[in-house]
Amino acid sequence: MDETAEPLCERLARDLDDGFTELVRVHASAVHAFLLRVTGSAAEADDLGQETFLRAYTALQGYSAQRRRALRPRAWLMTIAANIWRNHVRTCVRRPVAAARVEDSCESWPAEEPGPQERADTAADRALLVAALARLPEPARVAVVLRHVVGMSYAEVAEVQGCPVGTAKAQVSRGIGTLRQLLEPQVAMLREVTM
């Protein structure tokens, strides 16, 4: 259990509103990072993150003080976020949204501050990684993001995925292996270009 969980759970047990504010403060960036990596979209990550915390608050209202004290907040929130993302994917498959015109989309893009070559290289690398992550099967993608982006232990990944620790380790390992295979052609091409 992470070191912030015990005092946070005690706050949730004593005063739900105060404790929930602290829960959001402590875990919002991890939830957002997870959702950003599995969706590939900052706007979707923001929307799904809000839904995650709304569902969490609603659930906590029905929990007894004793249950709030026993909560493992990070794993619990990531489980909610993963389920919300899965439901979102199912909904999108059932009800696809019409594509917007490119010109309309470009007008709503925020201006990007930096433009130097170093940041462009980093952004290109990040774009390649995000595209490769999107091609992973769902269990591997979630496991890799939870382990390597959010920084959860294998036990926490297993709890979120609802599987044994060994299965979570295998999902992460397979996901990393698949990412290497997907990224190898781009890495080889970049090496040729820079030589």
Side-chain angles (χ1 to χ4, degrees):
M1 184 182 291
D2 62 283
E3 60 278 352
T4 60
E6 196 171 315
L8 178 58
C9 291
E10 186 58 39
R11 281 178 87 168
L12 283 168
R14 276 185 283 142
D15 180 2
L16 176 60
D17 292 334
D18 176 54
F20 188 75
T21 300
E22 185 67 8
L23 179 81
V24 172
R25 187 189 68 74
V26 170
H27 294 290
S29 61
V31 168
H32 186 267
F34 166 73
L35 290 168
L36 180 61
R37 293 300 167 233
V38 295
T39 64
S41 163
E44 282 184 25
D46 290 342
D47 291 345
L48 297 177
Q50 289 178 7
E51 180 68 20
T52 297
F53 284 104
L54 178 63
R55 288 220 188 137
Y57 186 77
T58 303
L60 286 169
Q61 286 177 319
Y63 287 9
S64 68
Q66 183 179 6
R67 187 170 180 191
R68 289 183 204 156
R69 276 187 191 92
L71 194 66
R72 295 171 39 103
R74 186 165 73 162
W76 180 71
L77 283 170
M78 292 303 168
T79 302
I80 293 171
N83 288 336
I84 286 174
W85 171 69
R86 287 181 189 111
N87 291 340
H88 174 71
V89 169
R90 284 186 205 113
T91 301
C92 289
V93 168
R94 279 185 253 149
R95 292 182 233 139
V97 177
R101 293 181 346 168
V102 172
E103 296 82 17
D104 296 339
S105 299
C106 290
E107 291 171 8
S108 65
W109 288 351
E112 297 209 17
E113 298 275 330
Q117 184 63 38
E118 305 85 45
R119 300 214 73 186
D121 291 342
T122 303
D125 292 346
R126 189 176 306 122
L128 286 173
L129 182 58
V130 168
L133 272 170
R135 293 178 58 194
L136 290 179
E138 179 188 314
R141 181 182 341 166
V142 171
V144 167
V145 170
L146 289 173
R147 177 73 178 138
H148 293 289
V149 175
V150 178
M152 295 180 88
S153 69
Y154 284 113
E156 290 173 314
V157 172
E159 185 177 335
V160 171
Q161 294 282 70
C163 64
V165 174
T167 302
K169 287 180 178 180
Q171 290 172 339
V172 170
S173 178
R174 269 186 262 158
I176 295 295
T178 303
L179 281 175
R180 283 187 182 119
Q181 290 174 347
L182 292 171
L183 293 172
E184 186 57 37
Q186 285 87 357
V187 171
M189 186 175 70
L190 287 172
R191 284 184 194 139
E192 289 177 13
V193 170
T194 57
M195 292 185 158

